[in-house]
Amino acid sequence: MNLQQKKWLYLGMLSLVWGSSFILMKKALIGLTPIQVGALRMVIAAIFLMLIGFKSLKQIQKRHYKFIILTSFLSTFFPVFLFAYAVNGIDSSIASILNSLTPFNTLIFGALIFGYTFKKQQLIGIFIGLIGTVLLILNGANLNPDQNYWFAILVVLASFGYALNVNIVKKYLHDISALSIVTGNFLVLIIPAFVVLLSTDFFSTFQPTETRLTALGYITILAIFGTGIAKIFYNKMVHLASPVFASSVTYLIPIVAVFWGYLDGEELSVIQLFAGLIILLGVYLVNKKK
């Protein structure tokens, strides 16, 4: 399999896994609080990665650690909690569509901070995508007046972290393996995540009811597959492709997430679907080659 085929294979796999993560979060929130979902997701993923990737830590040199620490918080710690609270306030399918702002932010940060250049058509694509996002949020507020669409801001903030992360990994961590990067990330996060979990009184108040155990099962699946394994493949893709291509996975995630949301009874209007198509048009322009 050549590099081009590997890129698209990783893109497809990640779309399926991360597209399913929103419904898993939604189900886990039935028996756990948002902060417990976020903390448990990181703790379980950290234990899993220590088991499979501890030996890979020797690849990380002293000069890498400041970037490992930075990407740990930008790509995992803060987004995990932001998404847990967001999905608690708005439909999981809407949150996944808003997450598709990540490639736009990747392009902007890449140009402003990391010295990458971009084309005029990419800038036009960014503005088209933003129009679609605003339309999506406004229509969603009318369709579901009981939902607080201020939670959408949390998804946008998470997308900023993802965008900064992919640029950092591409520029400063390209010379170490994807497994060592992710294992290093969770080596940094395991103690903060555990402290946060302790602060929720999870261990003293957890009751092994069917609802709680089912929620714990959902978060375990999410932690191992949607966080641990998926991040390894994502960093592999970042090593092979451009930051904008790698972040383009967020354009395909909504297709999977909306499918799961529809099966779970979430409501979507024609206008919201149209807004999603506008975002995808923006994506196409950002990634289109002359």
Side-chain angles (χ1 to χ4, degrees):
M1 186 179 294
N2 59 39
L3 295 183
Q4 190 73 5
Q5 291 172 327
K6 283 184 178 180
K7 282 195 315 185
W8 287 100
L9 176 62
Y10 292 151
L11 190 70
M13 289 170 57
L14 289 168
S15 301
L16 290 173
V17 173
W18 278 340
S20 302
S21 68
F22 292 88
I23 195 67
L24 290 171
M25 276 189 280
K26 180 180 178 180
K27 295 298 184 182
L29 285 164
I30 295 174
L32 299 166
T33 66
I35 198 166
Q36 287 174 341
V37 166
L40 277 168
R41 182 177 178 180
M42 284 187 284
V43 169
I44 295 170
I47 294 171
F48 170 72
L49 286 164
M50 289 303 113
L51 291 174
I52 69 168
F54 187 78
K55 290 182 179 179
S56 70
L57 291 173
K58 62 185 179 183
Q59 294 183 29
I60 304 176
Q61 300 176 23
K62 187 177 180 180
R63 63 186 173 86
H64 292 130
Y65 267 105
K66 61 182 177 181
F67 300 113
I68 291 289
I69 293 170
L70 192 57
T71 56
S72 299
F73 286 92
L74 288 173
S75 72
T76 303
F77 189 83
F78 294 123
V80 158
F81 291 116
L82 290 171
F83 269 106
Y85 277 103
V87 172
N88 199 41
I90 58 178
D91 284 342
S92 60
S93 55
I94 300 300
S96 71
I97 295 173
L98 288 170
N99 190 41
S100 63
L101 285 170
T102 298
F104 300 135
N105 295 330
T106 300
L107 191 71
I108 293 171
F109 289 140
L112 296 179
I113 300 175
F114 298 92
Y116 297 124
T117 60
F118 59 88
K119 302 172 185 176
K120 181 180 178 180
Q121 71 178 28
Q122 291 177 312
L123 187 61
I124 294 172
I126 288 173
F127 283 112
I128 290 175
L130 290 175
I131 291 170
T133 302
V134 172
L135 183 62
L136 181 72
I137 295 172
L138 293 177
N139 186 253
N142 292 329
L143 185 65
N144 298 299
D146 57 319
Q147 294 186 11
N148 186 352
Y149 268 75
W150 285 105
F151 280 94
I153 295 174
L154 301 182
V155 181
V156 176
L157 290 175
S159 76
F160 289 163
Y162 291 149
L164 287 168
N165 167 73
V166 67
N167 279 299
I168 292 170
V169 170
K170 184 67 177 181
K171 189 165 186 176
Y172 300 109
L173 299 174
H174 61 275
D175 55 340
I176 56 178
S177 73
L179 180 60
S180 62
I181 294 171
V182 179
T183 306
N185 286 158
F186 281 90
L187 178 65
V188 171
L189 294 178
I190 189 168
I191 293 177
F194 192 75
V195 169
V196 171
L197 188 60
L198 279 175
S199 71
T200 67
D201 296 323
F202 171 79
F203 296 102
S204 59
T205 61
F206 184 81
Q207 297 292 327
T209 62
E210 183 178 352
T211 300
R212 290 286 185 90
L213 290 175
T214 300
L216 196 58
Y218 282 126
I219 202 63
T220 301
I221 294 170
L222 178 60
I224 293 175
F225 292 97
T227 303
I229 294 175
K231 282 185 174 293
I232 293 171
F233 282 110
Y234 183 69
N235 284 327
K236 283 180 178 288
M237 184 168 65
V238 172
H239 284 163
L240 295 176
S242 69
V244 174
F245 179 90
S247 61
S248 293
V249 66
T250 56
Y251 298 137
L252 301 177
I253 286 172
I255 297 172
V256 179
V258 168
F259 172 75
W260 284 116
Y262 177 77
L263 291 181
D264 197 50
E266 292 182 3
E267 187 176 0
L268 279 172
S269 71
V270 174
I271 294 178
Q272 283 178 308
L273 292 174
F274 178 67
L277 290 175
I278 291 176
I279 292 174
L280 290 175
L281 173 61
V283 171
Y284 170 75
L285 291 175
V286 167
N287 290 280
K288 182 177 179 293
K289 295 181 179 179
K290 290 185 179 180

